[in-house]
């Protein structure tokens, strides 16, 4: 019951809209080798984004080595070890547009705005994460070696 | 037999029908079966179920004259004939060619028979009347009508159920068909059956309609919510009722 109320808070977080114009990036094989933001990704900020249920939303579906967050999902594999299973380049494409890796994925496209239907007005034309936030999340995932 | 005893019997029938469903190939589960025991007890015990207050209010409103025709629902129908009605809605009313849901039916009587103003969405009196009517079907299996005219609307509902949408690009089917029973953060994803509506939801602290529930799901994936009067909700409900065929009506259900 607590969990459900919590969930409503996070699912309902309209305030989390981020403005970002999808910046150009280059996909090479199964990844995006170059950072998509000017500033280097920061793993501390990335961890906070992943943990935050109205910004990253990651823990809705994934569990991960973030013990202070009690309610973690199990629709997706644990994020533990993500940094040893995939390269930084692969992780970047996974976050930017996971459908480029698995066309049937249920993982939301965090840095794509085209091809979406019936997006609620406050989010139209906006990516879920900004380019900088994507870099922060990638920088954090790279540290998850086991 | 006292009405309490009758209700206790109904509930025993509930548990039995779920046990049966689980024992067979039927993998369908009511949201009731996915909630904690404390909430199940709250739903089962009429003196603890907050939805019963709305049922009682509905019982009073049923007998109350309203509108410029100064007629009560009870002037046209005996409540006993409402048994089974909630189990077969949405349906196409006489003389029309598009389906309406139960609240649409109540509003139709409101405007055409009572000659009053229609209730706005989520109006407490509307929900109470709907709960009182649906309560007459408590324990009855969902039994969508065979009317072939409903088929295209139901198909449209199924298409809406499978449509990926919103900023998160998810569909009803991804959560309620493919991932039901799993944890979305702290919540167990139910199969998404409509058999308890209107429900008393602790989150809302009040009774709410199926439409309100569907809007919550759409809001969660950052998708547009069609206007309250949009035909999309009736289409979705038609499909959901077909998908839940045979599950017992639980009104007034309690949900987290």
């Amino acid at each position: 019951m607590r969990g459900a109320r919590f969930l409503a808070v996070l699912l309902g977080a309209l305030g989390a809209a981020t403005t970002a114009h999808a910046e150009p990036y280059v996909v090479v094989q199964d990844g995006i080798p170059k950072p998509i933001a000017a500033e280097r990704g920061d793993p501390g900020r990335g961890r906070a984004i992943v943990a935050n249920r109205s910004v990253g939303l990651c823990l809705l579906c994934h569990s991960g080595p973030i013990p202070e967050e009690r309610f973690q999902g199990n629709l997706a594999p644990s994020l533990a070890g993500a940094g040893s299973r995939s390269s930084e380049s692969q992780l970047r494409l996974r976050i930017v547009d996971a459908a480029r890796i698995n066309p049937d994925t249920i993982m939301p496209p965090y840095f794509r705005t085209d091809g979406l239907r019936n997006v609620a007005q406050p989010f139209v034309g906006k990516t879920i994460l900004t380019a900088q936030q994507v870099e922060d999340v990638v920088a954090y995932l790279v540290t998850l070696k086991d | 037999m006292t009405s309490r005893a009758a209700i206790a019997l109904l509930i025993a029938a509930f548990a039995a029908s779920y046990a049966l469903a689980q024992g067979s190939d039927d993998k369908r589960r009511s949201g009731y079966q996915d909630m904690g025991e404390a909430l199940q007890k709250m739903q089962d015990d009429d003196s603890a179920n907050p939805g019963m207050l709305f049922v009682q209010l509905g019982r009073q409103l049923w007998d109350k004259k309203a509108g410029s025709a100064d007629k009560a629902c009870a002037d046209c129908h005996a409540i006993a004939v409402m048994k089974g009605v909630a189990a077969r809605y949405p349906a196409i009313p006489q003389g029309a060619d598009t389906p309406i849901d139960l609240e649409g039916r109540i509003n139709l009587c409101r405007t055409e028979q009572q000659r009053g103003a229609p209730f706005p969405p989520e109006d407490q009196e509307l929900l109470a009347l709907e709960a009182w009517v649906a309560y007459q079907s408590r324990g009855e299996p969902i039994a969508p009508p065979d009317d072939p005219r409903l088929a295209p609307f139901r198909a449209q509902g199924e298409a809406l159920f499978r449509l990926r949408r919103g900023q998160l690009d998810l569909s009803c089917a991804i959560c309620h068909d493919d991932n039901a029973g799993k944890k979305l953060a702290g919540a167990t994803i139910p199969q998404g059956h409509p058999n308890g509506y209107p429900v008393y939801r602790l989150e809302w602290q009040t009774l709410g309609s199926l439409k309100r529930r569907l809007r919550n799901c759409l809001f969660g994936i950052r998708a547009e919510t069609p206007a309250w009067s949009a035909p999309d909700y009736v289409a979705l409900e038609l499909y959901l009722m077909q998908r839940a065929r045979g599950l017992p009506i639980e009104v007034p259900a309690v949900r987290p």
Side-chain angles (χ1 to χ4, degrees), chain B residues 164-221:
Chain B
R164 292 184 73 148
R165 59 176 110 181
Q167 196 193 32
L168 305 191
D169 199 24
L170 294 170
S171 68
C172 316
I174 286 175
C175 285
H176 295 293
D177 278 348
D178 304 343
N179 288 287
K182 292 195 189 155
K183 290 277 186 204
L184 186 67
T188 302
I189 303 179
Q191 290 182 353
H193 293 302
N195 56 325
Y197 289 78
V199 301
Y200 188 92
R201 189 161 183 237
L202 298 177
E203 171 81 39
W204 297 333
Q205 304 263 309
T206 186
L207 204 71
S209 70
L210 180 64
K211 247 180 233 176
R212 184 171 179 190
R213 172 67 259 178
L214 301 186
R215 290 168 71 90
N216 276 199
C217 284
L218 289 170
F219 186 79
I221 57 174

Side-chain angles (χ1 to χ4, degrees), chain A residues 60 74 105 117-118 120 126, chain B residues 164 166-167 183 185 222 224:
Chain A
L60 276 180
N74 63 4
T105 191
R117 286 158 300 269
N118 303 98
K126 293 174 181 159
Chain B
R164 292 184 73 148
Q167 196 193 32
K183 290 277 186 204
R222 301 179 178 176
E224 276 176 331

Side-chain angles (χ1 to χ4, degrees), chain A residues 6 9-11 13 15-16 44-60 66 68-69 71-72 79 110 128-129 133 137 140, chain B residues 185 222:
Chain A
F6 200 27
V9 172
L10 66 93
L11 281 178
R45 281 198 311 244
R47 186 183 190 279
I49 292 164
V50 170
N52 187 317
R53 286 141 196 273
S54 55
V55 180
L57 308 159
C58 316
L59 299 182
L60 276 180
I66 304 187
E68 72 275 17
E69 289 300 326
F71 299 110
Q72 307 195 351
L79 295 177
Y110 279 90
I128 304 170
L129 294 179
Q133 286 173 318
V137 168
Y140 168 64
Chain B
R222 301 179 178 176

Side-chain angles (χ1 to χ4, degrees), chain A residues 34-146:
Chain A
K34 294 219 178 76
I36 62 170
E39 204 191 318
R40 262 187 90 77
D42 177 81
R45 281 198 311 244
R47 186 183 190 279
I49 292 164
V50 170
N52 187 317
R53 286 141 196 273
S54 55
V55 180
L57 308 159
C58 316
L59 299 182
L60 276 180
C61 296
H62 291 274
S63 55
I66 304 187
E68 72 275 17
E69 289 300 326
R70 279 178 52 216
F71 299 110
Q72 307 195 351
N74 63 4
L75 272 59
S78 167
L79 295 177
S84 55
R85 285 190 295 272
S86 311
S87 67
E88 176 185 320
S89 167
Q90 289 168 325
L91 289 168
R92 191 175 285 113
L93 180 57
R94 161 76 60 186
I95 305 301
V96 163
D97 190 1
R100 298 283 292 256
I101 300 166
N102 168 11
D104 298 323
T105 191
I106 64 167
M107 180 155 152
Y110 279 90
F111 199 70
R112 162 160 69 85
T113 54
D114 57 330
L116 302 178
R117 286 158 300 269
N118 303 98
V119 176
Q121 212 22 255
F123 302 104
V124 171
K126 293 174 181 159
T127 55
I128 304 170
L129 294 179
T130 63
Q132 187 59 51
Q133 286 173 318
V134 170
E135 286 307 316
D136 292 342
V137 168
V138 170
Y140 168 64
L141 294 174
V142 165
T143 69
L144 301 181
K145 293 297 185 198
D146 41 39

